[in-house]
């Protein structure tokens, strides 16, 4: 892939963030998501690539744009798989709380898992703990492994977990082991990424969330040298059949990094919509706005943080 695509993708996440940020705190998550999706789709038309959506807003009959199978870009090389979440954290934005982001990941065609829209059990860690954890191991054992890898006591660790009733057992085990917990309402892509940045104060992510978000997180962590392990959690015969159609004979098998994103090259970009541990949210000042983004590439390991200042009257395709 051309390295120039890294900046092209940031422009796309910036557009989605700017469009959706106008809805912050207004209690209208669907309207915010629609604004982000429309702005992202419009901006994709300018990107020099031949993209196919493998993770998007749903099947063709469920989503008017950014649907699975949709072609994106100008139809020129490189040929890539595209995974998008125009607004990760629709509830976060509707409430005006912490950590909503706009996200894109791409990889060479055929290299991203076409994850079905179901739950996935996940375990994510940063670079120091790669190869030290096991999704099949007890919570306490994984915490011990991360603590040893980072030269910390377990009591120094912070585990991040979605605040859901289904996670009560995990939460209890983390507390019993002596580690601390950061409970979040939504947004486990950002949560997984935060494990790879020491300044966020997050050491490990436990719990289950959307499988598509697991693939997005895997691309980011591949760029950052971290690790995510996953296991699909089908709850019906229909979902089991969907897994088999993906080539997963055992729907409950553990999925490692190379199962989620193959190859040695992938690009991940995200722009903050509301403030988070890693990215600042959009700031508006009349017809000007500022954004804060991160973009990274697996092949080179380069991570760039980009602050953008935008003159909104010069962005006619932006939905505001």
């Amino acid at each position: 892939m051309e390295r120039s695509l890294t900046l092209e993708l940031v422009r796309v996440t910036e557009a989605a963030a700017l469009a959706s940020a106008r809805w912050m705190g207004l209690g209208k998550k669907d309207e915010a998501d629609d604004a982000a999706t429309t702005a992202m789709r419009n901006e994709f038309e300018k990107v020099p690539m031949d993209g196919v959506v493998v993770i998007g807003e749903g099947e063709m009959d469920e989503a008017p744009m950014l649907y699975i199978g949709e072609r994106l870009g100008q139809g020129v090389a490189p040929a890539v798989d595209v995974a998008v979440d125009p607004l990760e954290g629709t509830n976060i934005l509707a409430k005006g709380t912490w950590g909503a982001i706009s996200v894109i990941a791409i990889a060479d065609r055929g290299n991203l898992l076409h994850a079905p829209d179901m739950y996935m059990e996940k375990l994510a860690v940063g670079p120091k703990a790669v190869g030290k954890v096991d999704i099949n191991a007890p919570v306490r054992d994984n915490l011990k492994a991360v603590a040893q890898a980072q030269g910390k006591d377990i009591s120094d660790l912070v585990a991040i977990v979605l605040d859901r009733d289904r996670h009560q057992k995990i939460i209890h085990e983390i507390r019993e082991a002596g580690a601390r917990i950061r409970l979040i309402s939504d947004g486990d892509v950002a949560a997984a990424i935060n494990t790879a940045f020491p300044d966020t104060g997050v050491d490990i992510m436990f719990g289950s969330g959307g499988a598509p978000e697991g693939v997005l997180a895997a691309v980011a962590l591949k760029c950052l040298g971290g690790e995510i392990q996953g296991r699909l959690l089908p709850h019906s015969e229909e979902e089991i059949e969907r897994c088999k159609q993906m080539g997963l004979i055992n729907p409950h098998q553990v999925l490692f990094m190379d199962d989620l994103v193959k190859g040695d090259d992938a690009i991940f970009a995200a722009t903050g919509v509301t403030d988070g541990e890693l990215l600042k949210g959009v700031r508006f000042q009349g017809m000007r706005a500022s954004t804060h983004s991160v973009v990274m590439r697996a092949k080179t390991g380069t991570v760039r943080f980009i602050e953008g200042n935008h003159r909104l009257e010069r962005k006619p395709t932006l939905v505001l």
Side-chain angles (χ1 to χ4, degrees), residues 18-134:
L18 287 164
S20 58
R22 287 292 193 190
W23 296 92
M24 187 186 78
L26 300 183
K28 297 181 178 181
K29 65 177 185 178
D30 292 337
E31 290 85 347
D33 192 48
D34 287 345
T37 301
T38 301
M40 180 173 277
R41 181 63 182 83
N42 288 340
E43 200 66 23
F44 262 126
E45 293 181 358
K46 306 171 187 176
V47 180
M49 68 180 193
D50 177 12
V52 174
V53 178
V54 299
I55 291 174
E57 293 294 277
E59 305 290 346
M60 186 185 300
D61 58 351
E62 298 172 350
M65 60 183 70
L66 297 181
Y67 56 82
I68 296 168
E70 185 175 4
R71 304 300 287 260
L72 298 176
Q74 297 178 339
V76 298
V80 297
D81 286 345
V82 182
V84 301
D85 195 342
L87 179 58
E88 198 221 6
T90 55
N91 288 320
I92 291 172
L93 186 68
K95 296 176 181 178
T97 56
W98 196 260
I101 58 175
S102 175
V103 184
I104 296 171
I106 67 171
D108 290 322
R109 183 71 51 80
N111 280 2
L112 292 185
L113 180 72
H114 296 208
D117 190 10
M118 66 179 68
Y119 282 122
M120 175 189 283
E121 181 184 357
K122 306 170 193 176
L123 175 66
V125 293
K128 289 184 178 179
V130 169
K132 309 294 185 182
V133 295
D134 181 355

Side-chain angles (χ1 to χ4, degrees), residues 290-312:
S290 63
T291 55
H292 189 211
S293 306
V294 62
V295 61
M296 38 189 134
R297 187 179 181 192
K299 191 170 186 177
T300 61
T302 301
V303 179
R304 290 184 173 91
F305 287 91
I306 298 173
E307 293 190 1
N309 292 289
H310 308 268
R311 295 185 63 174
L312 301 179

